[in-house]
């Protein structure tokens, strides 16, 4: 009594709802061989295909049982050669296929295992299974799963594929992947040409488009053969739509290979379309068809929406979401999405949206923390392992700080090299900020009285040899004279120079060739369990026994952490986030962010200058943007942040 | 409701006409004009002459919750001098000799009843026996004999008393361990009528035992005395007068929310199994706890949601106040996209470990305050909170004046809470079984899957307001919404900061979904039982119902409303009008400005007829229960601050 639970069935229905809902009907077929159901919409796949799978195959094993000496090898029948593997009452298991991951050069890229077999049976195979087991080097199973073996047509050879998605946490060099067929119900049947393929995440680092909107406003090669239907007139958006006012049955057809839209085959396809019936009794079907590499259709499903949900002379949006078969699709397969004028009435289509969803999981391994520890207030974090607490940097209000400008006439970008240091002996002990831009340099200092940065020095002589673009620049007290220097270093000639600011200009105080090895520390030389090669470290605070640093990693996201260094030991203290910014313009959301920490507004305390910009470059990788972009929802900015209550 | 009253007036008018035309001895209004039959006349029937003497014939009474946990009495000892309604009538012996007469008084709830007469069947309505009618609590008292009334041409006053109590037929179903559990069939709220029946000794002998003693059945069924005397065989009796008084009594339940919150220590984990673990009583106080006084008098109990282990999910490691900090869709998108699995926080939706900590009954302002506690690093939790009434009713118009938590930020991001006002069965035991589902039965359990066994009777029932951010399922052209994929590419904002489909935002970030649900346990009896989206017409409107499939246990309607209006104002009203043949969901800023947001009738769903309790919760759901939801629970931050809700008033009438 008095408790609240939702039936498990609701979960179940949540999963299937997307394909079963509505008076709009879903029809699904698995197309066998070349037969097509009478009203099936698969149309055509005749276009030049790419070979995604071959790029994606990391390793494959083929067993045609011709040379195998295992129990059950039979010459009764075979697909290839003369032998196959015969399962009987007394032959329960196939020989195992075992692959140590350590033998695969690119084992960390494995994302999917596909097993294909040919089988022959007289009838039902009972509970026959394809087993997949991962064992560690001690032989202990760390993961196991299975899929049922389903016979094809009796007395004929048929093909069946089993696809297993692989989580990254299972990709250890110590693991062994084992595959085996189990004749669990002890039936008699034959298996031949067993092939195990390790598929990788082809193009995992290239972000493929998987969301598409076709508004029919400009020519699109996708509709080359249907261009005649795209006409000006009534449109949901813009001026053109897909015109079926002649009662033509087939509307826009979008045909692609899975490899064009993802590094894994889609598991679900969502479609939306605006429909404008010109007459009564409209009926529209949104459908998906799948074809294998030989253009053989093997699946289609459609959702039909009919009157009265499609009233005449008005735009109505129709949606469908279609789950694709769990087994089977590979990157080379062709997926065809189409909108069908099922009622063959007069109507217009516009704004076709297609989302190809591989239903990818997040990167990383699941947390093993027991949630009960939180509720019992017994959670103790493990050193250098998430979750970490979050420290919030608060935006410092600066006068004349608008957009990317930190002082009048001082526009910064995230391409700029920003070097902090107490370069000017003005006795306040604050750091100045040297900004090195292509063809121009400025030195800024903070005025406590005016609460703003001011330009202390600037240079726009692009031929100035000091600021030669072939130089690298570093700040610090390199010569131990208790003054901040700028180190110039030409990596090609290995020439170096130290310059100091005298209040008016920069002067060379030392120079040479091959700087001392400890002047320029490359991050990769200091990597450890906390610091990765691509990390950037920023000084933050010193205690009697330790140094606090900020660590930035942008390889997968803007990931800023506060870490503590004690001798050679590093400890992650927490995540750094921001507050006080306007609207939702959190610096971590920007495409290119440059940070510089310094004692800009206090002699003791560090603050962090953040220059956050978005970049219009195609395939921008986070640095050296050639064309900055002003996104209204996320305007570029330069701001100063500090950690309060340190 | 106006329609309902009109219907009752119509029924009474019909009754009156039938009585006048057929027998001339049954009248509805007591009057100085006597009602007569062959042997006697009566006049001045007054069913309540010791309560609200100065009021009109439409009297009203609030249920007295003092010591009422074992059942209500109307009136209570605190409401009249003797704890009964005194009634009286005058009788004149018009026979030839002195004689004794026999009388019996009946009452019946008129607001929530099936009509006694089925015009199609031309007999008693098959569900009329479910109506709440009664007489004297001791059902062995059949008809009371008067003193000998002289045949002197004069009226003689008869005086007696009656009270309304639970299980008026003393049904065995509600008797356990030898005790009559009258609370298991509490008096219904709404209007009551009173019918006086007087007859001669000879006519009494013609009266069937199941009418003389309403505890008795006629062929496995009870027969309503209202049907018997006003439409059935009793109507033909020559020497009896059955008169329905024009005086009615309106019964209203309005528990004092400042009377405390009881803690049921036996169900602290929300399961049926008695809880045997330790109880943290550190927050117990005079108005919240487990003591005898609260047990007897508190109208409210802290509600502990049952948390299924399947609700475990991995939440983003973010703590934020979505509403107050104006969490935006960009915030949601980034946090959803970029955390790695190992950074997520495995969590199960929580309930309180400290009873009384998150629920406070305020005796001064007579309100109850609830709060979903905020969370902090290392103690991540999404904790539901709720209260439940302790006195069950069948039917009623439940109206709550509440200030529930706001659910959306200005940018339209949902904080993951579901505000719920709902009725749930008081017990799944056989005493509280629903009416038999004849076609192929109910799904046996409310948690099982689609292959659950079907049984003729179940005790589970539920009627919900659930208010959250989720898309409508009907009509089906726009469901499911098409959400764009995110790509975890931090070098292109457009890859991860995807927009929602227009049917979700609809140019208005303030829309929240009011879901109205009746758990009919997939009983197929209703004539228009349907699956997927279907229309149901009522109250001059068309509503869309949705059911996933023929074995799905609940039927739902959804309506988009303004989060700011419902939860941003000082208070708002929510009303579940549960009637025998329909359920109406209304909301509004004041009782006189309520608007209908949901409607179902017995043609599309099995309306529960068992006893239920009202629940108020601010609860976290696993959004897998709500397909198409734009914000998924695991990608919504843990709450930074307490999220407070207040209940100012509950009126059931």
């Amino acid at each position: 009594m008095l408790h609240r639970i939702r039936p498990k069935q609701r979960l179940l229905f949540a999963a299937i709802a997307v394909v079963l809902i509505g008076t709009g009907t879903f029809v699904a077929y698995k197309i066998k061989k070349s037969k097509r159901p009478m009203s099936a919409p698969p149309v055509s796949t005749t276009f030049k295909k790419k070979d995604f799978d071959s790029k994606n195959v990391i390793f494959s094993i083929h067993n045609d049982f011709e040379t195998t000496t295992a129990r059950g090898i039979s010459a009764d029948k075979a697909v290839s050669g003369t032998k196959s593997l015969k399962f009987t009452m007394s032959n329960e298991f196939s020989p195992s296929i075992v692959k140590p991951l350590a033998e695969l050069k690119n084992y960390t890229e494995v994302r999917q295992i596909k097993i294909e077999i040919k089988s022959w049976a007289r009838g039902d195979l009972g509970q026959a299974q394809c087993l997949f087991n991962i064992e560690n080097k001690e032989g202990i199973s760390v993961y196991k799963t299975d899929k049922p073996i389903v016979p094809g047509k009796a007395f004929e050879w048929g093909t069946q594929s089993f696809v297993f998605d692989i989580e990254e946490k299972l990709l250890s060099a110590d693991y062994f992947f084992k595959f085996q067929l189990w004749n669990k119900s002890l039936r008699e049947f034959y298996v031949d040409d067993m092939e195990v393929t390790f598929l990788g995440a082809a193009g995992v680092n290239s972000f493929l488009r998987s969301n598409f909107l076709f508004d029919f406003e400009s020519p699109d090669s996708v509709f080359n053969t249907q261009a005649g239907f795209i006409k000006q007139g009534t449109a949901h958006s813009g001026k053109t739509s897909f015109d079926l006012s002649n009662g033509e049955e087939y509307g826009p057809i979008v045909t692609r290979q899975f490899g064009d839209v993802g590094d894994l085959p889609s598991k679900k396809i969502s479609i939306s379309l605006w429909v404008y019936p010109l007459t009564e009794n409209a009926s529209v079907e949104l459908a998906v068809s799948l074809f294998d590499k030989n253009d053989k259709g093997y699946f289609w499903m459609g959702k039909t929406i009919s009157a009265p949900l499609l009233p005449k002379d008005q735009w109505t949006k129709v949606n469908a979401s279609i789950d694709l078969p769990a087994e089977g699709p590979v990157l080379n397969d062709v997926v065809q999405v189409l909108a069908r004028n099922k009622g063959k009435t007069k109507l217009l289509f516009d704004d076709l949206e297609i989302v190809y969803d591989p239903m990818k999981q997040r990167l990383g391994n699941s947390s093993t923390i027991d949630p009960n520890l939180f509720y019992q207030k017994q959670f103790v974090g493990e050193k250098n392992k998430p979750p970490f607490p979050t420290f919030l940097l608060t935006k410092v209000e600066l006068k004349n700080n608008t957009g990317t400008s930190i002082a009048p006439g001082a526009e910064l970008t995230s391409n700029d090299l920003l070097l902090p240091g107490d370069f000017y002996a003005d006795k306040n002990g604050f750091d100045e900020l040297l900004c090195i831009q292509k063809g121009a340099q400025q030195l800024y200092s903070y005025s406590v009285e005016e609460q703003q940065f001011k330009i202390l020095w600037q240079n726009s002589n692009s031929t100035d040899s000091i600021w030669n673009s072939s130089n690298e620049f570093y700040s610090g007290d390199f010569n131990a004279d208790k003054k901040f220097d700028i180190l110039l270093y030409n990596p090609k000639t290995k020439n170096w120079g130290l310059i100091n600011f005298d209040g008016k200009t920069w002067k060379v105080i030392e120079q040479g060739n091959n700087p001392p090895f400890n002047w320029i520390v490359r991050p990769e030389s200091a990597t450890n369990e906390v610091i990765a090669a691509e990390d950037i470290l920023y000084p933050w605070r010193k205690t009697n026994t330790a140094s606090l640093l900020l660590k930035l990693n942008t390889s997968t996201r803007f990931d800023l952490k506060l870490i503590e260094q004690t001798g050679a030991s590093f400890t992650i203290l927490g995540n750094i986030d921001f507050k006080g910014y306007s609207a939702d313009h959190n610096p971590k959301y920007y495409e290119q962010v440059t940070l510089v920490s310094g004692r800009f507004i206090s002699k003791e305390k560090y603050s962090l200058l953040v220059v956050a910009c978005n970049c219009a470059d195609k395939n921008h990788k986070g640095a050296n943007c050639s064309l900055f972009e002003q996104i209204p929802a996320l305007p570029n900015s330069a701001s100063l942040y500090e950690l309060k209550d340190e | 409701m106006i329609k309902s009253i009109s219907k009752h007036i119509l029924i009474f008018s019909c009754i009156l006409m039938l009585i006048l035309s057929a027998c001339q001895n049954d009248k509805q209004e007591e009057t100085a004009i006597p009602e007569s039959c062959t042997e006697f006349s009566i006049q001045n029937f007054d069913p309540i002459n010791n309560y609200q003497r100065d009021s009109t014939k439409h009297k009203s009474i609030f249920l007295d919750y003092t010591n009422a946990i074992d059942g209500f009495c109307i009136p209570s000892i605190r409401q009249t001098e003797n704890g009964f309604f005194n009634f009286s009538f005058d009788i004149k012996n018009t026979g030839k000799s002195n004689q004794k007469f026999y009388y019996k008084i009946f009452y019946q709830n008129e607001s929530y009843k099936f009509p006694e007469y089925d015009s199609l069947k031309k007999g008693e309505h098959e569900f009329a026996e479910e109506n709440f009618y009664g007489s004297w609590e001791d059902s062995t008292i059949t008809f009371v004999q008067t003193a000998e009334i002289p045949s002197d041409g004069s009226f003689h006053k008869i005086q007696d008393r009656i009270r309304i109590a639970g299980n008026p037929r003393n049904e065995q179903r509600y008797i356990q361990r030898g005790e009559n559990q009258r609370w298991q069939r509490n008096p219904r709220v709404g209007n009551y009528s009173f019918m006086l029946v007087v007859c001669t000794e000879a006519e009494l002998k013609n009266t069937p035992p199941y009418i003389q003693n309403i505890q008795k059945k006629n062929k496995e069924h009870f027969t309503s005395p209202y049907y018997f005397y006003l439409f059935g065989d009793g109507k033909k009796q020559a020497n009896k007068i059955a008169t329905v008084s024009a005086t009615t009594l309106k019964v209203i339940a309005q528990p004092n929310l400042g009377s405390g919150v009881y803690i049921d220590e036996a169900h602290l984990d929300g399961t049926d199994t008695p809880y045997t673990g330790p109880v943290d009583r550190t927050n117990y106080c005079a108005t919240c706890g487990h003591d005898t006084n609260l047990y007897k008098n508190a109208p409210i109990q802290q509600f502990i949601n049952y948390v299924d282990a399947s609700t475990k999910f991995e939440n983003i490691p973010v703590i934020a106040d979505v509403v107050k900090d104006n969490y935006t869709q960009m915030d949601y998108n980034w946090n959803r996209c970029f955390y790695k699995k190992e950074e997520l926080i495995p969590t199960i939706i929580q309930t309180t470990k400290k009873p009384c900590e998150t629920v406070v009954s305020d005796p001064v302002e007579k309100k109850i305050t609830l709060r979903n506690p905020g969370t902090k690093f290392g103690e991540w939790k999404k904790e539901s909170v709720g209260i439940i009434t302790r006195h069950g009713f069948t039917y009623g118009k439940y109206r709550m004046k509440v200030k529930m938590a706001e659910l959306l930020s200005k940018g339209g991001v949902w904080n993951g809470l579901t505000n719920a006002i709902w009725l749930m069965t008081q017990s799944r035991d056989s005493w509280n079984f629903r009416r038999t589902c004849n076609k192929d039965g109910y799904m046996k359990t409310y948690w099982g899957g689609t292959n659950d066994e079907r049984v003729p009777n179940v005790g589970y029932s539920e009627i919900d307001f659930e208010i959250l951010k989720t898309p409508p399922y009907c009509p089906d052209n726009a469901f499911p919404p098409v959400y764009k994929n995110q790509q975890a590419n931090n070098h292109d904002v457009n890859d991860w900061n995807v927009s929602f489909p227009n049917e979700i935002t609809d140019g208005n970030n303030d829309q929240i979904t009011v879901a109205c649900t009746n758990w009919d346990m997939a009983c197929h009896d209703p004539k228009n039982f349907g699956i997927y989206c279907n229309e149901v017409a009522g109250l001059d409107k068309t509503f869309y119902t949705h059911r996933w499939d023929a074995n799905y246990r609940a039927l739902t309607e959804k309506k988009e409303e303004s989060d700011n209006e419902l939860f941003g104002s000082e208070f708002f009203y929510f009303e579940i009008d549960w009637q025998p043949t329909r359920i109406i969901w209304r909301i509004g800023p004041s009782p006189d400005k309520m608007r209908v947001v949901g409607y179902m009738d017995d043609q599309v769903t099995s309306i529960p007829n068992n006893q239920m309790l009202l629940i108020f919760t601010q609860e976290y759901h696993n959004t897998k229960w709500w397909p198409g939801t734009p914000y998924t629970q695991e990608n919504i931050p843990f709450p930074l601050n307490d999220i407070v809700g207040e209940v100012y008033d509950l009126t059931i009438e």
Side-chain angles (χ1 to χ4, degrees), chain B residues 386-651:
Chain B
I387 54 169
I388 181 169
T389 59
R390 300 179 66 220
H391 303 77
F393 296 105
T394 302
Y395 308 127
K397 188 194 292 186
Y398 293 72
R399 188 171 58 242
M400 274 189 124
K401 178 184 177 184
V402 293
K403 162 74 178 166
M404 297 175 103
E406 283 188 76
L407 302 181
L408 302 180
S409 69
K410 279 181 194 161
V413 180
W414 180 40
N415 67 358
L417 264 186
T418 297
N419 286 339
I421 292 173
W422 45 296
L423 292 160
M424 189 180 70
T425 184
Q426 190 169 13
S427 167
R428 280 177 280 138
D429 293 342
S430 58
W431 65 263
N432 202 33
F433 272 2
R434 299 167 69 138
R435 179 189 310 135
T436 299
C437 177
N438 291 309
K439 232 174 209 173
D440 46 9
Y442 299 98
M443 300 299 275
K444 186 177 182 180
T445 65
Y446 67 99
W447 60 82
T450 190
N451 296 322
D452 209 354
E453 183 186 350
R454 281 189 173 268
V455 293
N457 297 95
V458 289
Y460 195 75
S461 53
E462 185 179 322
I463 301 172
D464 303 332
F465 263 121
E466 290 172 290
I467 306 163
L468 69 160
K469 185 71 180 176
T470 193
Y473 299 149
C474 299
D476 65 351
N477 61 296
F479 185 84
V482 174
Y483 294 109
K484 294 183 178 75
N485 284 337
Q486 280 187 312
Q487 301 256 35
N489 177 12
N490 57 328
H491 304 313
D492 189 342
V493 172
N494 295 323
D495 275 355
W496 59 267
N497 190 34
V498 292
S499 58
F500 281 165
N502 63 329
E503 58 266 40
I504 294 297
T505 54
D506 208 18
N508 186 350
N509 281 327
D510 184 42
Q511 295 291 291
I512 201 81
T513 301
V514 178
C516 306
T517 302
N518 178 42
W519 285 66
D520 57 18
M521 306 304 284
C523 172
H524 293 162
D525 282 355
K527 187 177 151 195
N528 299 325
F529 181 95
I531 58 172
Y532 308 145
C533 293
N534 287 289
E535 292 181 357
V536 55
L539 308 172
D540 301 324
K541 285 184 180 175
T542 299
F543 300 85
Y544 286 98
T545 62
H546 180 265
R547 184 192 303 273
W548 293 113
D549 78 0
N551 286 334
Y552 196 72
R553 295 159 172 81
L555 189 67
T556 297
E557 294 173 1
K558 291 182 183 170
K559 186 154 190 309
E560 301 291 294
E561 292 286 342
S562 158
D563 178 58
N564 192 43
E565 185 193 6
L566 270 58
F567 306 126
S569 53
E570 211 175 320
F571 54 80
F572 210 70
Y573 287 87
F574 294 84
E575 186 176 279
I576 298 175
D577 189 354
W578 171 28
Q579 301 174 20
T581 58
R582 61 184 188 172
I583 305 166
I584 304 165
W585 290 261
R586 299 183 187 91
I587 62 173
S590 62
D592 59 338
K593 290 180 181 163
M594 304 297 280
R595 57 181 186 267
V596 175
V597 291
Y599 172 92
M600 293 176 195
D601 62 27
D602 60 357
Q603 302 299 293
V604 296
T605 186
S606 166
I607 307 288
N609 64 333
N610 56 349
Q611 198 154 288
M612 296 213 265
L613 300 169
L614 185 79
I615 304 170
F616 171 100
T617 46
Q618 294 182 169
E619 52 188 87
Y620 289 98
H621 286 180
N622 188 329
T623 41
K624 286 179 182 168
W625 300 344
W626 298 95
T629 297
Y631 302 99
T632 50
Q633 189 64 261
E634 62 269 27
N635 292 310
I636 296 171
F638 291 99
L640 174 66
N641 300 311
D642 289 354
I643 302 175
V644 177
E646 292 192 314
V647 185
Y648 300 119
D649 180 61
L650 166 62
T651 301

Side-chain angles (χ1 to χ4, degrees), chain A residues 48-330:
Chain A
K48 194 175 177 185
K49 300 185 193 73
K50 296 170 217 159
D51 185 2
F52 291 98
D53 279 354
S54 63
K55 289 183 204 164
N56 203 33
V57 171
I58 289 173
F59 178 74
S60 72
I61 309 165
H62 182 85
N63 192 344
D64 57 9
F65 303 105
E66 296 300 310
T67 55
T68 311
T69 53
R71 184 177 178 190
I73 298 300
S74 163
D76 290 354
K77 48 177 60 67
V79 178
S80 63
T82 57
K83 294 177 186 169
S84 64
L85 179 66
K86 183 179 184 182
F87 289 93
T88 61
M89 289 274 287
S90 57
N91 189 23
E92 191 174 347
F93 290 98
S94 73
S96 291
I97 294 176
V98 182
K99 188 69 188 169
L101 276 195
E103 290 181 4
L104 300 178
K105 189 182 169 191
N106 302 325
Y107 72 88
T108 56
E109 292 177 15
V110 175
R111 295 290 179 274
Q112 207 173 59
I113 304 286
K114 184 183 172 192
I115 301 173
E116 193 172 285
I117 59 167
K118 305 273 195 304
S119 67
W120 187 101
R122 292 181 177 83
D124 180 44
L125 299 186
Q127 297 177 48
Q129 292 173 354
C130 175
L131 307 176
F132 170 38
N133 193 9
I134 303 176
E135 294 176 358
N136 63 18
K137 57 187 173 186
E138 283 81 35
I140 297 166
S141 176
V142 293
Y143 176 82
K144 64 167 70 172
T145 186
D146 57 71
K147 307 232 172 182
I149 302 173
V150 181
K153 196 172 178 183
F155 302 101
E156 283 184 19
W157 285 99
T159 304
Q160 188 180 1
S161 296
F162 313 94
V163 177
F164 301 93
D165 289 333
I166 307 298
E167 286 188 61
E168 285 179 67
K169 69 179 178 185
L170 299 172
L171 298 173
S172 164
D174 292 336
Y175 289 172
F176 294 74
F177 280 28
K178 285 179 77 171
F179 310 94
Q180 195 169 29
L181 305 178
W182 182 16
N183 178 15
K184 192 175 178 182
S185 302
L186 302 178
R187 305 291 168 86
E188 185 175 300
F189 63 101
Y190 297 84
V191 168
D192 201 357
D193 292 345
M194 180 170 175
E195 184 158 356
V196 179
T197 309
F198 290 61
L199 295 165
V204 72
N205 291 319
S206 62
F207 291 92
L208 293 164
R209 254 178 96 198
S210 60
N211 307 322
F212 294 87
L213 175 67
F214 301 101
D215 59 9
F216 308 113
E217 293 302 309
S218 50
D220 192 321
S221 59
V222 171
F223 303 114
N224 273 349
T225 60
Q226 296 181 297
F229 291 103
I230 298 170
K231 294 178 183 172
Q232 283 204 355
T234 304
H236 178 255
S237 68
K239 294 177 179 173
T240 53
S241 61
F242 200 101
D243 188 327
L244 296 183
S245 58
N246 61 354
E248 173 71 26
E249 182 177 0
Y250 284 96
I253 300 169
V254 179
T255 308
R256 290 202 157 88
Q257 285 176 275
F258 282 116
D260 286 325
V261 292
D263 48 33
L264 288 174
S266 308
K267 291 186 175 169
K268 184 175 81 172
I269 292 179
S270 300
I271 313 160
S272 76
L273 177 71
W274 288 87
V275 182
Y276 191 95
L278 298 165
T279 60
E280 306 286 357
N281 302 318
S283 178
V284 171
E285 181 177 53
L286 301 177
V288 172
S289 309
L290 301 183
F291 303 86
D292 66 14
K293 58 188 174 187
N294 301 316
D295 285 342
K296 191 182 285 180
Y298 63 89
F299 171 88
W300 79 268
M301 183 178 278
K303 177 184 177 183
T304 300
I305 303 290
S306 303
L309 294 176
L310 296 173
K312 184 187 163 194
D313 293 339
Q314 72 181 60
W315 287 105
T316 300
K317 191 178 189 185
V318 294
N319 293 346
S321 188
I322 293 172
D323 289 333
L324 304 185
E327 309 291 341
V330 293

Side-chain angles (χ1 to χ4, degrees), chain A residues 542-586:
Chain A
K542 282 196 173 179
T543 66
N544 290 337
T545 56
S547 296
L548 298 188
L549 304 164
L550 298 182
K551 179 181 87 80
L552 176 67
N553 183 307
T554 56
S555 57
T556 56
R557 69 167 194 253
F558 181 93
D559 183 7
L560 186 61
K561 287 193 162 54
L562 181 64
I563 63 173
E564 183 182 65
Q565 180 184 12
T566 308
S569 168
F570 290 87
T571 305
I572 298 174
L573 301 180
N575 294 312
I576 294 285
D577 208 334
F578 301 89
K579 68 174 180 179
Y581 45 80
S582 58
D584 51 3
H585 307 157
N586 190 324

Side-chain angles (χ1 to χ4, degrees), chain B residues 17-45:
Chain B
M17 285 175 67
L18 285 164
I19 292 162
L20 290 175
S21 61
C23 187
Q24 298 294 319
N25 62 356
D26 296 325
K27 285 184 72 176
Q28 278 206 296
E29 293 192 11
E30 65 269 26
T31 163
I33 301 167
E35 297 171 61
S36 304
C37 61
T38 315
E39 292 287 322
F40 63 96
S41 299
I42 63 169
Q43 65 179 21
N44 293 334
F45 168 44

